[in-house]
Short mmCIF file of all heavy atoms in Angstrom, two decimals:
data_model
loop_
_atom_site.label_atom_id
_atom_site.label_comp_id
_atom_site.label_asym_id
_atom_site.label_seq_id
_atom_site.Cartn_x
_atom_site.Cartn_y
_atom_site.Cartn_z
N PRO A 1249 4.82 -27.27 -75.97
CA PRO A 1249 4.61 -26.52 -77.21
C PRO A 1249 4.63 -27.40 -78.46
O PRO A 1249 4.07 -27.03 -79.49
CB PRO A 1249 5.76 -25.51 -77.22
CG PRO A 1249 6.79 -26.07 -76.31
CD PRO A 1249 6.03 -26.83 -75.26
N THR A 1250 5.26 -28.60 -78.39
CA THR A 1250 5.28 -29.49 -79.53
C THR A 1250 4.01 -30.31 -79.64
O THR A 1250 3.74 -30.91 -80.69
CB THR A 1250 6.48 -30.46 -79.44
OG1 THR A 1250 6.27 -31.38 -78.35
CG2 THR A 1250 7.78 -29.70 -79.22
N GLY A 1251 3.24 -30.38 -78.54
CA GLY A 1251 2.03 -31.18 -78.54
C GLY A 1251 2.27 -32.67 -78.44
O GLY A 1251 1.33 -33.47 -78.56
N LEU A 1252 3.51 -33.08 -78.19
CA LEU A 1252 3.86 -34.50 -78.18
C LEU A 1252 3.64 -35.15 -76.82
O LEU A 1252 3.46 -36.38 -76.75
CB LEU A 1252 5.31 -34.70 -78.61
CG LEU A 1252 5.64 -34.32 -80.06
CD1 LEU A 1252 7.14 -34.44 -80.31
CD2 LEU A 1252 4.86 -35.21 -81.03
N THR A 1253 3.70 -34.40 -75.74
CA THR A 1253 3.61 -34.98 -74.40
C THR A 1253 2.55 -34.28 -73.56
O THR A 1253 2.19 -33.13 -73.82
CB THR A 1253 4.95 -34.91 -73.67
OG1 THR A 1253 5.31 -33.54 -73.46
CG2 THR A 1253 6.06 -35.61 -74.45
N VAL A 1254 2.10 -34.99 -72.54
CA VAL A 1254 1.17 -34.45 -71.55
C VAL A 1254 1.72 -34.78 -70.17
O VAL A 1254 2.23 -35.88 -69.94
CB VAL A 1254 -0.24 -35.07 -71.71
CG1 VAL A 1254 -1.14 -34.71 -70.53
CG2 VAL A 1254 -0.88 -34.60 -73.01
N THR A 1255 1.66 -33.81 -69.25
CA THR A 1255 2.03 -34.07 -67.86
C THR A 1255 0.79 -33.96 -67.00
O THR A 1255 -0.02 -33.05 -67.17
CB THR A 1255 3.10 -33.07 -67.37
OG1 THR A 1255 2.68 -31.74 -67.64
CG2 THR A 1255 4.44 -33.32 -68.06
N ARG A 1256 0.66 -34.90 -66.04
CA ARG A 1256 -0.51 -34.94 -65.17
C ARG A 1256 -0.09 -35.12 -63.72
O ARG A 1256 0.84 -35.89 -63.43
CB ARG A 1256 -1.43 -36.09 -65.56
CG ARG A 1256 -2.10 -35.98 -66.91
CD ARG A 1256 -3.07 -37.13 -67.12
NE ARG A 1256 -4.10 -37.13 -66.10
CZ ARG A 1256 -4.91 -38.18 -65.86
NH1 ARG A 1256 -4.78 -39.29 -66.57
NH2 ARG A 1256 -5.82 -38.11 -64.92
N ALA A 1257 -0.78 -34.43 -62.83
CA ALA A 1257 -0.56 -34.62 -61.40
C ALA A 1257 -1.31 -35.86 -60.92
O ALA A 1257 -2.32 -36.26 -61.52
CB ALA A 1257 -1.02 -33.39 -60.63
N PHE A 1258 -0.83 -36.44 -59.84
CA PHE A 1258 -1.50 -37.59 -59.23
C PHE A 1258 -2.53 -37.11 -58.23
O PHE A 1258 -2.66 -35.90 -57.94
CB PHE A 1258 -0.48 -38.50 -58.55
CG PHE A 1258 0.38 -39.27 -59.53
CD1 PHE A 1258 1.57 -38.74 -59.99
CD2 PHE A 1258 -0.03 -40.52 -60.00
CE1 PHE A 1258 2.36 -39.43 -60.89
CE2 PHE A 1258 0.76 -41.22 -60.90
CZ PHE A 1258 1.95 -40.68 -61.35
N ASP A 1259 -3.30 -38.04 -57.67
CA ASP A 1259 -4.28 -37.70 -56.66
C ASP A 1259 -3.58 -37.27 -55.37
O ASP A 1259 -2.34 -37.22 -55.30
CB ASP A 1259 -5.24 -38.87 -56.41
CG ASP A 1259 -4.53 -40.16 -56.00
OD1 ASP A 1259 -3.42 -40.06 -55.41
OD2 ASP A 1259 -5.05 -41.24 -56.26
N VAL A 1260 -4.35 -36.97 -54.34
CA VAL A 1260 -3.77 -36.40 -53.10
C VAL A 1260 -2.79 -37.34 -52.43
O VAL A 1260 -1.93 -36.91 -51.66
CB VAL A 1260 -4.89 -36.01 -52.12
CG1 VAL A 1260 -5.69 -34.84 -52.66
CG2 VAL A 1260 -5.81 -37.20 -51.84
N ASP A 1261 -2.91 -38.62 -52.67
CA ASP A 1261 -1.99 -39.60 -52.08
C ASP A 1261 -0.91 -40.02 -53.07
O ASP A 1261 -0.34 -41.10 -52.95
CB ASP A 1261 -2.77 -40.82 -51.59
CG ASP A 1261 -3.75 -40.49 -50.48
OD1 ASP A 1261 -3.38 -39.68 -49.61
OD2 ASP A 1261 -4.88 -41.01 -50.50
N GLY A 1262 -0.65 -39.16 -54.05
CA GLY A 1262 0.31 -39.52 -55.09
C GLY A 1262 1.74 -39.62 -54.58
O GLY A 1262 2.06 -39.18 -53.47
N PRO A 1263 2.61 -40.19 -55.39
CA PRO A 1263 4.00 -40.40 -54.98
C PRO A 1263 4.80 -39.10 -54.96
O PRO A 1263 4.44 -38.10 -55.58
CB PRO A 1263 4.55 -41.35 -56.05
CG PRO A 1263 3.73 -41.01 -57.27
CD PRO A 1263 2.35 -40.67 -56.76
N GLY A 1264 5.89 -39.11 -54.22
CA GLY A 1264 6.78 -37.96 -54.14
C GLY A 1264 8.06 -38.34 -53.43
O GLY A 1264 8.29 -39.52 -53.12
N ARG A 1265 8.90 -37.36 -53.18
CA ARG A 1265 10.16 -37.62 -52.48
C ARG A 1265 10.45 -36.46 -51.53
O ARG A 1265 10.03 -35.32 -51.76
CB ARG A 1265 11.32 -37.76 -53.48
CG ARG A 1265 11.59 -36.51 -54.32
CD ARG A 1265 12.72 -36.77 -55.30
NE ARG A 1265 13.05 -35.56 -56.09
CZ ARG A 1265 14.01 -35.50 -57.00
NH1 ARG A 1265 14.76 -36.57 -57.25
NH2 ARG A 1265 14.25 -34.37 -57.65
N THR A 1266 11.17 -36.77 -50.45
CA THR A 1266 11.55 -35.76 -49.47
C THR A 1266 12.99 -35.32 -49.74
O THR A 1266 13.91 -36.14 -49.76
CB THR A 1266 11.44 -36.30 -48.04
OG1 THR A 1266 10.09 -36.69 -47.79
CG2 THR A 1266 11.85 -35.24 -47.03
N ILE A 1267 13.15 -34.02 -49.97
CA ILE A 1267 14.47 -33.44 -50.22
C ILE A 1267 15.03 -32.93 -48.89
O ILE A 1267 14.31 -32.32 -48.10
CB ILE A 1267 14.38 -32.29 -51.23
CG1 ILE A 1267 13.81 -32.80 -52.56
CG2 ILE A 1267 15.75 -31.66 -51.44
CD1 ILE A 1267 14.62 -33.89 -53.22
N ALA A 1268 16.32 -33.19 -48.65
CA ALA A 1268 16.95 -32.80 -47.39
C ALA A 1268 18.33 -32.21 -47.65
O ALA A 1268 18.95 -32.47 -48.69
CB ALA A 1268 17.07 -34.01 -46.47
N LEU A 1269 18.79 -31.40 -46.70
CA LEU A 1269 20.18 -30.95 -46.69
C LEU A 1269 20.95 -31.84 -45.73
O LEU A 1269 20.49 -32.11 -44.61
CB LEU A 1269 20.28 -29.49 -46.24
CG LEU A 1269 21.69 -28.89 -46.30
CD1 LEU A 1269 22.14 -28.69 -47.75
CD2 LEU A 1269 21.76 -27.56 -45.54
N VAL A 1270 22.11 -32.31 -46.16
CA VAL A 1270 22.90 -33.23 -45.35
C VAL A 1270 24.34 -32.75 -45.28
O VAL A 1270 24.85 -32.15 -46.23
CB VAL A 1270 22.81 -34.67 -45.94
CG1 VAL A 1270 23.30 -34.70 -47.38
CG2 VAL A 1270 23.59 -35.67 -45.11
N TRP A 1271 24.98 -32.97 -44.13
CA TRP A 1271 26.38 -32.60 -43.94
C TRP A 1271 27.00 -33.53 -42.90
O TRP A 1271 26.30 -34.32 -42.26
CB TRP A 1271 26.51 -31.14 -43.50
CG TRP A 1271 25.85 -30.79 -42.20
CD1 TRP A 1271 26.39 -30.84 -40.95
CD2 TRP A 1271 24.48 -30.34 -42.00
NE1 TRP A 1271 25.48 -30.46 -40.00
CE2 TRP A 1271 24.31 -30.13 -40.61
CE3 TRP A 1271 23.41 -30.09 -42.87
CZ2 TRP A 1271 23.09 -29.71 -40.07
CZ3 TRP A 1271 22.20 -29.66 -42.33
CH2 TRP A 1271 22.06 -29.48 -40.95
N ARG A 1272 28.33 -33.45 -42.74
CA ARG A 1272 29.00 -34.28 -41.74
C ARG A 1272 28.58 -33.84 -40.34
O ARG A 1272 28.59 -32.64 -40.02
CB ARG A 1272 30.52 -34.19 -41.87
CG ARG A 1272 31.09 -34.88 -43.10
CD ARG A 1272 32.61 -34.75 -43.14
NE ARG A 1272 33.04 -33.36 -43.19
CZ ARG A 1272 33.05 -32.61 -44.29
NH1 ARG A 1272 32.64 -33.12 -45.45
NH2 ARG A 1272 33.46 -31.36 -44.25
N ALA A 1273 28.23 -34.80 -39.50
CA ALA A 1273 27.83 -34.47 -38.14
C ALA A 1273 28.97 -33.85 -37.35
O ALA A 1273 28.73 -33.12 -36.38
CB ALA A 1273 27.33 -35.74 -37.43
N SER A 1274 30.21 -34.09 -37.77
CA SER A 1274 31.37 -33.54 -37.06
C SER A 1274 31.74 -32.13 -37.51
O SER A 1274 32.65 -31.52 -36.93
CB SER A 1274 32.58 -34.47 -37.27
OG SER A 1274 32.90 -34.57 -38.66
N ASP A 1275 31.07 -31.60 -38.53
CA ASP A 1275 31.43 -30.29 -39.05
C ASP A 1275 31.17 -29.22 -38.00
O ASP A 1275 30.05 -29.11 -37.48
CB ASP A 1275 30.59 -29.99 -40.31
CG ASP A 1275 31.17 -28.84 -41.13
OD1 ASP A 1275 31.53 -27.81 -40.53
OD2 ASP A 1275 31.25 -28.97 -42.36
N PRO A 1276 32.16 -28.40 -37.65
CA PRO A 1276 31.96 -27.37 -36.62
C PRO A 1276 31.01 -26.26 -37.06
O PRO A 1276 30.60 -25.44 -36.23
CB PRO A 1276 33.38 -26.84 -36.38
CG PRO A 1276 34.11 -27.13 -37.65
CD PRO A 1276 33.56 -28.43 -38.14
N ARG A 1277 30.66 -26.24 -38.33
CA ARG A 1277 29.72 -25.23 -38.82
C ARG A 1277 28.28 -25.71 -38.72
O ARG A 1277 27.39 -25.20 -39.43
CB ARG A 1277 30.05 -24.88 -40.27
CG ARG A 1277 31.43 -24.28 -40.46
CD ARG A 1277 31.80 -24.20 -41.93
NE ARG A 1277 31.94 -25.54 -42.50
CZ ARG A 1277 32.26 -25.77 -43.78
NH1 ARG A 1277 32.46 -24.76 -44.60
NH2 ARG A 1277 32.36 -27.00 -44.23
N ALA A 1278 28.01 -26.65 -37.81
CA ALA A 1278 26.68 -27.26 -37.73
C ALA A 1278 25.57 -26.23 -37.56
O ALA A 1278 24.50 -26.35 -38.17
CB ALA A 1278 26.64 -28.28 -36.60
N VAL A 1279 25.81 -25.22 -36.72
CA VAL A 1279 24.77 -24.19 -36.50
C VAL A 1279 24.51 -23.44 -37.80
O VAL A 1279 23.35 -23.22 -38.19
CB VAL A 1279 25.19 -23.23 -35.38
CG1 VAL A 1279 24.22 -22.05 -35.30
CG2 VAL A 1279 25.24 -23.95 -34.05
N GLY A 1280 25.56 -23.05 -38.49
CA GLY A 1280 25.39 -22.34 -39.75
C GLY A 1280 24.72 -23.20 -40.80
O GLY A 1280 23.88 -22.70 -41.57
N LEU A 1281 25.04 -24.48 -40.84
CA LEU A 1281 24.42 -25.38 -41.81
C LEU A 1281 22.96 -25.64 -41.47
O LEU A 1281 22.12 -25.79 -42.36
CB LEU A 1281 25.21 -26.68 -41.90
CG LEU A 1281 26.60 -26.53 -42.55
CD1 LEU A 1281 27.46 -27.76 -42.30
CD2 LEU A 1281 26.46 -26.27 -44.05
#
Side-chain angles (χ1 to χ4, degrees):
T1250 68
L1252 294 175
T1253 64
V1254 169
T1255 52
R1256 294 185 59 195
F1258 288 90
D1259 57 27
V1260 292
D1261 297 320
R1265 62 182 183 178
T1266 300
I1267 301 300
L1269 184 70
V1270 58
W1271 61 90
R1272 289 181 300 280
S1274 60
D1275 196 315
R1277 298 169 294 180
V1279 172
L1281 291 166

